[in-house]
């Protein structure tokens, strides 16, 4: 293991530890989930509409994830990167009764160890009768719509450059088009197999899936050279992005999903961007890093009036930690973008990891504040 890699891993583990509550049983009313390498024991398999809280403890040896799926494998909520011995809380607002599925994913791969989960009761939305929550979701949806529009525009430009064999232009457009994807990634990720088709890395795509999307084209452009099927891969990327854009504009988000999404984006930074593993061929990871932080800030900004009403001290902490992370990241600007990840020193990587760590803890509190009565 290199010194750089060790520093990165320590930083990422610090982020995860800051977001864990160290184990223990579920609080009264919460649903305990015991995840192991070969089992996913959910203490209760039925709940009423409204906020459902799962307390997930990893008693296995592999890093795991926990999901609540609606029909069609639409993700209603997820917590990722739960290391052995750690616990994470997931709050999901379920607005309609029906049949759902829970899933633990040891090793963070595959369809997961699934179980049926039933929600009963009348339709219930936290935004009904609460003007602040309603405006928060509308505000964030406007943000998603604007980013989705630009995602389509820039991806089309990127695809056209690939197909025209304009390698330098395509390389320049690659991190730009991905910026809009990374800003709304929690929304985009909620639609089943579209996320791995668009954004799957070669070593983490599901078994049996082809290596396609942005990262396949990244490999073609920076490492192997354009291939005979690169045009086909580019065309499919555009088709998939168009589908994501259409769906992202129609999905109905809950306030808790906004809060969870803000945390998910920081987890993305901790486990992918800050390790240099996401854009391993182009080394444009800092572009993605910036976009993930932008998306997290946008979600928190939409929820700000709600959080301010309930916990002003948390708002002040969030402002300070976002500012510190912004300052740490902006030191690495280069022209209209960012330095190559390979240009960062060990100390610079450590400083970024520590800034993400410091922000992750207060952001992890927002879902609970938003969902509190």
């Amino acid at each position: 293991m290199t010194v750089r890699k060790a520093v990165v891993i320590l930083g990422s583990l610090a982020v995860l530890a800051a977001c864990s509550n160290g184990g223990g049983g579920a609080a009264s009313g919460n649903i305990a989930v015991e995840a192991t390498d070969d089992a996913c024991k959910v203490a209760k398999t039925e709940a009423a509409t409204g906020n459902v809280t799962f307390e997930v403890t990893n008693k296995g040896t592999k890093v795991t994830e926990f999901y609540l799926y609606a029909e069609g494998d639409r993700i209603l909520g997820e917590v990722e990167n739960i290391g052995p011995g750690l616990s994470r809380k997931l709050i999901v607002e379920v607005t309609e009764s029906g049949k759902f599925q829970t899933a633990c994913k040891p090793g963070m791969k595959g369809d997961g160890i699934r179980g049926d989960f039933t929600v009963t009761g009348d339709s219930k939305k936290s935004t009904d009768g609460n003007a602040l929550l309603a405006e928060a979701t509308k505000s964030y949806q406007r943000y998603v719509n604007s980013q989705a529009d630009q995602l389509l525009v820039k991806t089309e430009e990127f695809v056209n450059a690939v197909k025209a064999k304009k390698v330098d232009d395509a390389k320049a457009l690659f991190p730009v088009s991905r910026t809009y994807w990374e800003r709304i990634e929690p929304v985009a990720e909620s639609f089943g197999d579209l996320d791995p088709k668009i954004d799957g890395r070669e070593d983490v795509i599901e078994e049996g899936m082809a290596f396609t999307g942005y990262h396949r084209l990244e490999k073609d452009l920076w490492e192997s050279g354009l291939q005979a099927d690169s045009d086909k891969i580019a065309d499919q990327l555009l088709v998939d992005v168009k589908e994501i854009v259409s769906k992202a504009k129609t999905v109905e988000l809950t306030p808790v999903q906004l809060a969870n999404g803000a945390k998910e984006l920081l987890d993305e930074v901790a486990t992918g961007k800050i390790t240099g593993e996401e854009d391993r061929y182009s080394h444009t990871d800092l572009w993605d890093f910036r976009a993930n932080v932008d998306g997290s800030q946008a979600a928190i900004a939409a929820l700000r009036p709600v959080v301010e009403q309930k916990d002003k001290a948390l708002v002040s902490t969030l402002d300070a930690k976002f500012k510190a992370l912004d300052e740490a990241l902006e030191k690495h600007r280069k022209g209209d973008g960012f330095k190559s990840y390979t240009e960062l020193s060990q100390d610079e990587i450590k400083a970024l990891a520590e800034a993400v760590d410091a922000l992750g803890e207060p952001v992890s509190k927002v879902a609970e504040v938003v969902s509190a009565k």
Side-chain angles (χ1 to χ4, degrees):
M1 178 182 292
T2 64
V3 174
R4 171 177 290 186
K5 192 67 171 180
V7 169
V8 170
I9 291 172
L10 287 171
S12 297
L13 288 175
V15 173
L16 301 181
C19 303
S20 72
N21 56 27
S28 177
N30 296 351
I31 299 172
V33 179
E34 183 181 300
T36 63
D37 294 346
D38 55 9
C40 188
K41 298 178 182 177
V42 182
K44 290 171 56 181
T45 58
E46 184 173 314
T49 51
N51 290 329
V52 182
T53 302
F54 299 94
E55 289 195 9
V56 187
T57 300
N58 184 0
K59 295 188 176 181
T61 62
K62 301 175 181 177
V63 177
T64 195
E65 302 170 328
F66 178 77
Y67 291 77
L68 181 66
Y69 288 103
E71 186 178 356
D73 271 4
R74 183 167 65 86
I75 299 171
L76 290 186
E78 63 177 299
V79 283
E80 302 178 333
N81 306 304
I82 311 170
L86 297 183
S87 295
R88 290 281 298 273
K89 182 182 289 185
L90 172 65
I91 304 172
V92 184
E93 182 180 341
V94 186
T95 60
E96 302 283 346
S97 61
K99 300 293 184 182
F100 301 82
Q101 283 193 318
T102 56
C104 298
K105 292 189 179 182
M108 301 193 295
K109 290 186 178 182
D111 289 335
I113 303 165
R114 299 205 179 198
D116 292 333
F117 191 85
T118 303
V119 177
T120 61
D122 297 333
S123 299
K124 185 186 298 184
K125 295 181 180 180
S126 62
T127 52
D128 292 344
N130 188 317
L132 285 180
L133 289 177
E135 179 52 36
T137 57
K138 290 177 183 176
S139 173
Y140 186 70
Q141 188 62 61
R142 290 192 290 269
Y143 175 78
V144 169
N145 290 351
S146 68
Q147 298 305 303
D149 285 339
Q150 285 302 303
L151 170 63
L152 182 55
V153 169
K154 294 303 178 182
T155 302
E156 191 161 15
E157 290 178 6
F158 171 63
V159 164
N160 288 342
V162 169
K163 294 178 68 176
K165 307 297 187 290
K166 296 180 178 179
V167 172
D168 288 343
D169 289 351
K171 285 182 174 181
L173 286 163
F174 174 78
V176 176
S177 61
R178 285 182 53 75
T179 290
Y180 301 100
W181 166 267
E182 294 288 347
R183 284 176 179 164
I184 60 170
E185 193 165 10
V187 178
E189 281 184 337
S190 66
F191 302 112
D193 285 345
L194 280 172
D195 173 61
K197 286 174 67 178
I198 291 170
D199 196 39
R201 301 195 300 277
E202 190 169 14
D203 59 338
V204 297
I205 54 176
E206 306 298 345
E207 188 175 345
M209 287 191 71
F211 180 34
T212 61
Y214 283 120
H215 293 301
R216 162 57 204 278
L217 293 172
E218 177 197 9
K219 184 177 183 180
D220 292 356
L221 289 166
W222 271 273
E223 184 169 283
S224 60
L226 292 175
Q227 303 295 298
D229 64 343
S230 294
D231 286 5
K232 181 180 176 181
I233 297 294
D235 283 336
Q236 187 60 51
L237 171 63
L238 187 56
V239 168
D240 293 337
V241 164
K242 285 179 178 178
E243 186 175 353
I244 279 284
V245 167
S246 175
K247 289 185 173 184
K249 289 186 172 186
T250 59
V251 68
E252 190 171 346
L253 300 168
T254 68
V256 170
Q257 281 179 308
L258 271 62
N260 288 339
K263 181 63 184 69
E264 288 167 27
L265 284 165
L266 294 180
D267 286 348
E268 285 281 335
V269 172
T271 59
K273 284 66 178 183
I274 210 165
T275 64
E277 294 175 6
E278 178 83 8
D279 300 312
R280 62 191 63 176
Y281 310 112
S282 64
H283 306 299
T284 55
D285 305 87
L286 291 183
W287 290 72
D288 288 1
F289 188 133
R290 175 73 266 174
N292 282 159
V293 175
D294 289 345
S296 184
Q297 285 179 309
I300 297 300
L303 291 167
R304 185 185 183 96
V306 180
V307 182
E308 204 159 40
Q309 186 183 65
K310 298 180 178 183
D311 192 339
K312 288 187 177 180
L314 180 58
V315 171
S316 297
T317 300
L318 288 165
D319 287 347
K321 300 303 182 184
F322 267 118
K323 181 180 179 183
L325 179 54
D326 283 342
E327 290 174 350
L329 182 56
E330 290 302 308
K331 290 178 182 178
H332 305 298
R333 280 278 178 189
K334 190 172 185 178
D336 293 333
F338 289 90
K339 295 177 183 176
S340 168
Y341 182 82
T342 57
E343 295 179 47
L344 298 182
S345 69
Q346 298 167 23
D347 288 343
E348 288 169 336
I349 294 170
K350 183 179 179 182
L352 288 171
E354 289 173 347
V356 175
D357 181 358
L359 177 59
E361 191 273 334
V363 168
S364 70
K365 295 179 179 179
V366 174
E368 199 157 2
V369 171
V370 168
S371 62
K373 301 295 184 184

